[in-house]
Amino acid sequence: MIRPEAQPMSSVKQLGYLVFEVSDVAAWEDFGTKVLGLQVVDARGDGGFSLRMDGYQQRFFIEHGPADDLAAIGWEVEGPAELEAFSERFKGAGHEVTLGTAAEAAARNVERLIRVNDPAGNPNEIFYGPKMASETFVSDVVRSGFVADAQGFGHVVVAAKDQDEHEAFYANMFGLKLSDYIRCEYFGHKIDVTFMHANARHHSLAFGGGQLKRIHHFMVQANSIDEVGLCYDRFLFSGGMVHQTLGRHPNDRMFSFYGYTPSGFHFEFGSGAIEIGEGWQSTTHGKVSEWGHHPPQLLTKAYRRAKESRGEKG
Ligand SMILES: [Fe+2]
């Protein structure tokens, strides 16, 4: 057995996958493929399916159920020795760890996995040996492809109850490093979000309070800025509801927009983020965005005012 204290503090390698429990599987297939530009793989008998976006066989597991929420966050580690070390680390700190069965690992297309909840009850799966795709990823609509592979699929923002406890858990148990904080007011809401990284991606995980579901949003990052505009158009014309208009974040410098998924939580589609290197200095930002990321109601109000000033109705 590998004793974790005999090893240097290891980190998870990357955010490997997300599992969503969704009530409308068909709507998710349309959204995942036609709006996000992902590819369906492993359609399953229970109506669920997986989505891929890079060299990994799958990055999103869509499972049928009533929750319309995040069902698990999947983190990749190097191999069996590392998984054992993580398991011992969790147990040593008093966290309940369960070993996934062979069937459960097979369902995720990984060699082996363990499960542990974070302090807010968000379910994490830590695994090694993901199945890689045998064919190059090609999207029907995102022609330039995605920034993923070694950086993980993107990022996820989840609910935290106690921000400090949550940060300590992911730093000490997962080896994530602090990227920065955003603390400010946003249209009457208090924003206090912590951002953490596992690799060159500015953040794989972020968390804050005041959320109704486990997940606030997940993000995928395309290789070109134009893909963000093209996705914005596809989403609008699909009848999708924008949550925040196009904008640029001050911390990861992501150019992006936010919309509602068919499950009611949000997604972010972005491009142009910076990468983190050695010697990164964390800081606290006093705004959510350099510009943009506004609620679309601003546009609706302005549109109504313009119509009224012209004497038009509707
Ligand atoms: Fe985000």
Side-chain angles (χ1 to χ4, degrees):
M1 182 184 291
I2 307 272
R3 301 300 306 168
E5 58 270 27
Q7 300 292 311
M9 176 67 185
S10 57
S11 165
V12 291
K13 282 168 66 177
Q14 63 157 276
L15 184 49
Y17 58 75
L18 292 181
V19 185
F20 296 139
E21 183 183 314
V22 312
S23 57
D24 191 341
V25 173
W28 266 90
E29 182 171 344
D30 262 9
F31 168 70
T33 55
K34 294 175 184 166
V35 175
L36 297 183
L38 309 179
Q39 190 180 45
V40 170
V41 286
D42 288 346
R44 295 191 292 273
D46 62 359
F49 61 90
S50 310
L51 291 161
R52 67 171 289 218
M53 65 189 298
D54 61 355
Y56 281 60
Q57 176 65 16
Q58 67 284 300
R59 291 299 201 172
F60 297 93
F61 293 90
I62 310 299
E63 299 181 340
H64 187 233
D68 277 317
D69 201 353
L70 179 72
I73 310 170
W75 298 93
E76 184 182 354
V77 297
E78 192 64 43
E82 286 75 14
L83 193 69
E84 178 67 25
F86 272 89
S87 181
E88 291 300 309
R89 187 189 293 169
F90 291 130
K91 287 177 192 164
H95 298 289
E96 191 177 326
V97 183
T98 54
L99 175 65
T101 64
E104 287 168 340
R108 298 276 190 260
N109 268 331
V110 299
E111 291 287 328
R112 206 164 195 216
L113 65 85
I114 57 174
R115 292 197 170 91
V116 66
N117 286 353
D118 74 17
N122 300 308
N124 283 286
E125 297 177 354
I126 298 123
F127 67 90
Y128 72 88
K131 186 175 177 183
M132 305 306 284
S134 53
E135 292 171 11
T136 305
F137 172 77
V138 180
S139 171
D140 288 341
V141 289
V142 180
R143 299 290 162 81
S144 67
F146 294 95
V147 178
D149 291 301
Q151 286 195 29
F153 76 79
H155 69 235
V156 65
V157 180
V158 298
K161 286 178 181 160
D162 181 316
Q163 204 92 338
D164 293 338
E165 183 188 17
H166 218 81
E167 181 182 332
F169 175 79
Y170 280 104
N172 298 331
M173 295 295 110
F174 282 67
L176 298 187
K177 294 183 177 63
L178 179 66
S179 304
D180 39 45
Y181 305 104
I182 292 183
R183 291 171 178 155
C184 61
E185 290 271 324
Y186 175 81
F187 291 92
H189 297 283
K190 181 174 172 285
I191 303 290
D192 185 351
V193 182
T194 304
F195 298 83
M196 302 185 84
H197 62 276
N199 50 49
R201 187 180 293 284
H202 174 275
H203 58 281
S204 292
L205 177 76
F207 45 85
Q211 296 172 203
L212 298 175
K213 293 177 183 264
R214 287 173 176 162
I215 184 171
H216 179 269
H217 74 269
F218 70 92
M219 189 279 319
V220 293
Q221 180 181 351
N223 274 314
S224 89
I225 292 285
D226 277 336
E227 299 288 8
V228 181
L230 289 165
C231 181
Y232 195 72
D233 281 358
R234 288 195 301 275
F235 185 57
L236 289 177
F237 283 98
S238 76
M241 178 67 198
V242 170
H243 173 58
Q244 289 178 267
T245 57
L246 292 161
R248 173 88 71 183
H249 286 303
N251 56 347
D252 62 358
R253 309 293 304 163
M254 189 76 79
F255 169 71
S256 62
F257 76 96
Y258 293 71
Y260 287 80
T261 68
S263 289
F265 57 81
H266 308 307
F267 73 96
E268 179 183 11
F269 193 101
S271 186
I274 56 166
E275 293 181 2
I276 279 188
E278 287 297 316
W280 174 261
Q281 298 287 319
S282 58
T283 184
T284 300
H285 296 273
K287 55 189 171 184
V288 170
S289 303
E290 293 291 349
W291 58 268
H293 290 146
H294 301 310
Q297 289 84 345
L298 282 183
L299 302 177
T300 316
K301 282 181 194 161
Y303 181 72
R304 276 210 204 96
R305 275 199 303 274
K307 295 267 278 187
E308 283 164 12
S309 71
R310 288 157 60 98
E312 297 173 21
K313 288 185 181 156

